[in-house]
Structure formats: C-alpha cells, structure tokens
Amino acid sequence: MKVKKDTTESAEIVERMEFVIDKLERDELITVLRNRFMENSQRHKDIAWSEIEIRLNQNEDNIRVLSNMEITGGEPDVIGYDKESDKYIFCDCSKESPSGRRSLCYDAQAWESRKKNKPRNDAITMAEFLGIKMLSEDEYRQLQKTGDYDYKSSSWILTPKGIRELGGSLFGDKRYDTVFIYHNGAESYYASRGFRGIYLV
C-alpha cells in the first residue's frame, strides 16, 4: 500500500526516505544513536553498545529503518533484548509522540471512510512504510517503565480486532505519573497524537 502524500512538511519528510543513505549520513546517524544510548542507560541496563553497532553495520535495512524513525521525530533508542529472536529492541523514545507522524487517523479503512477533511495519511500505513511495527498496549506500557512519555501528547497503539471491527481504536498517554489507555473512533485524528513503533536489530 502506497503512502498517501500531500504538500505538508511531513509529506516532504516521507519523500526524503526514498533516497539512498550515503556514508556521511550513515556515520552521523550511528553517532546520534550511540550518544543517545550512552546518555540513557536506564533504558537498557546490561546491554553493550558495541554489539549493537556491529549489527547496525551488518545490515543496510537497519540503517534505513532507524533513519526513518529519526527523521520523523522518533528519537529511537534500545529498550531491551528479545531472547526468542536474539535481537535488540529499538523503540521511539521521544518525550512526546513523534512530531513527523501526527494528525493521522488509525488505519487505511478509517482513512477511506472519511468523506470530508481527510488527514494526510493513516498510522498503520505509515508504520509499514517506515519499516516499523506500531506498539501494542503491553509494549507501550513497557516503554513507559523506562521514562516519562506522552505527558502533553498521545500515541495510537495497536487495537484488538474486536474493537476495531466496531469502529474503535486505542491510544495511550501518561498523566499524573500513570499510564492511561483510551479509545476513539478510528477515523479521528489530532495534532497532538502520533504513533510510536519498534524495530528489532
């Protein structure tokens, strides 16, 4: 499914992702990721950067996807290790919902069903284009254990089939030192709501 584009700044960001990343951009991204990793050790205790950098350099897709996350405001960082797949978990760790992924309805079905004032895109389609998976409720709660996120914004999360079939979708935020999960119509969209994703390296 192709990303729907408009003339907004966010659409221009998406278009930039189609270009090949050169060596300078690659090195700059790895430096940003390394510095963020070192400055936020509470997110990934007992995980060494050296192994992660080896994996980044072994697979060009890793660089491309993490660059996509960075360009759209996600500020990706490692938040854990998945034993089953033997991979490290990168997640969008920006304090607020990624700025380049807001004003999106939940999925393509919701986008198609809107007759007026359609948003520029939908969250599920954009996540697929970026190469990441939107966070589930459990993953969103796990992220919140590593810091305080979405105190002024909110983020769409993967919605169970039964809720989605009835027209609803879920989103989360954090207020009063507590994580809250709410519901909205899947067709709705807000300037303060984006989505977060994960990518395994």
Side-chain angles (χ1 to χ4, degrees):
M1 186 177 298
K2 295 183 178 179
V3 171
K4 313 171 191 71
K5 297 180 180 178
D6 64 6
T7 58
T8 65
E9 179 181 356
S10 296
E12 292 171 1
I13 289 174
V14 170
E15 289 174 350
R16 286 168 54 197
M17 297 173 193
E18 298 174 358
F19 294 94
V20 176
I21 298 173
D22 62 28
K23 185 179 184 304
L24 177 59
E25 292 171 326
R26 177 195 186 95
D27 291 345
E28 289 177 346
L29 175 64
I30 289 179
T31 297
V32 168
L33 294 174
R34 182 192 302 118
N35 290 343
R36 184 176 296 136
F37 182 93
M38 298 302 180
E39 293 168 1
N40 296 278
S41 59
Q42 78 283 357
R43 295 176 182 157
H44 35 252
K45 296 178 180 178
D46 302 321
I47 296 178
W49 171 258
S50 56
E51 175 62 24
I52 294 169
E53 186 160 347
I54 290 173
R55 297 192 184 198
L56 292 179
N57 288 316
Q58 287 176 337
N59 189 332
E60 193 64 30
D61 282 345
N62 292 337
I63 297 297
R64 177 183 58 81
V65 173
L66 291 169
S67 177
N68 290 348
M69 295 171 77
E70 186 72 25
I71 288 171
T72 53
E75 301 180 19
D77 194 12
V78 177
I79 63 168
Y81 170 73
D82 181 53
K83 292 183 179 180
E84 185 174 343
S85 64
D86 183 33
K87 291 186 176 182
Y88 296 98
I89 305 169
F90 272 88
C91 183
D92 292 304
C93 292
S94 53
K95 295 299 290 184
E96 302 300 337
S97 200
S99 58
R101 310 180 206 161
R102 300 189 186 185
S103 296
L104 308 171
C105 59
Y106 179 73
D107 60 12
Q109 180 182 351
W111 190 90
E112 294 290 350
S113 68
R114 286 192 70 100
K115 303 305 179 184
K116 296 181 179 180
N117 302 317
K118 287 179 180 288
R120 70 182 189 279
N121 200 3
D122 68 86
I124 293 293
T125 297
M126 190 172 187
E128 291 175 353
F129 183 81
L130 296 178
I132 61 180
K133 183 181 77 70
M134 190 187 299
L135 297 182
S136 66
E137 178 178 345
D138 287 343
E139 290 165 340
Y140 186 78
R141 291 186 182 278
Q142 191 63 37
L143 169 65
Q144 291 284 10
K145 292 179 180 179
T146 72
D148 294 323
Y149 308 96
D150 290 340
Y151 256 91
K152 297 178 181 179
S153 58
S154 60
S155 296
W156 288 118
I157 59 176
L158 287 175
T159 299
K161 182 178 179 182
I163 295 175
R164 183 64 194 91
E165 288 178 343
L166 293 173
S169 53
L170 302 180
F171 66 95
D173 64 23
K174 194 170 190 177
R175 303 291 191 273
Y176 312 109
D177 200 29
T178 302
V179 178
F180 292 94
I181 303 298
Y182 309 88
H183 59 86
N184 252 150
E187 298 176 6
S188 61
Y189 62 96
Y190 302 91
S192 61
R193 182 178 306 161
F195 69 90
R196 298 175 183 271
I198 60 173
Y199 179 69
L200 302 184
V201 170

